[in-house]
Amino acid sequence: MKVSPSTVRRLIEEQSLPAQQLWKGAPWTIKAVDLEHPDVKRAAHARRFRRPSSGDADQKRTSTLRG
């Protein structure tokens, strides 16, 4: 999928990637077949190519004034 571990966790949290955890804090178990599902690939691709926040407070303020 070529995404970071934090992206995988986000995909699990938003239920785009099926996964199981035996108990809180245990590693997630993800089936290989689920990684090949078109919906999972689409969600991973969308997350991978999102534009990150610039961190520029002036840019954020300007965008809220316009919109």
Side-chain angles (χ1 to χ4, degrees):
M1 286 190 349
K2 297 182 183 177
V3 295
S4 69
S6 61
T7 297
V8 171
R9 285 190 291 275
R10 285 186 193 103
L11 291 170
I12 292 168
E13 287 174 10
E14 68 186 26
Q15 298 181 349
S16 295
L17 176 59
Q20 294 181 337
Q21 194 176 34
L22 294 178
W23 60 84
K24 189 175 181 170
W28 287 97
T29 303
I30 302 167
K31 294 179 182 177
V33 68
D34 289 334
L35 294 173
E36 298 302 319
H37 194 277
D39 291 339
V40 172
K41 286 185 173 187
R42 193 173 10 262
H45 179 80
R47 281 235 170 242
R48 197 167 135 224
F49 290 102
R50 289 181 8 169
R51 293 183 66 191
S53 172
S54 70
D56 182 350
D58 289 335
Q59 185 180 28
K60 290 178 186 176
R61 186 171 46 249
T62 302
S63 67
T64 58
L65 293 174
R66 291 183 192 160

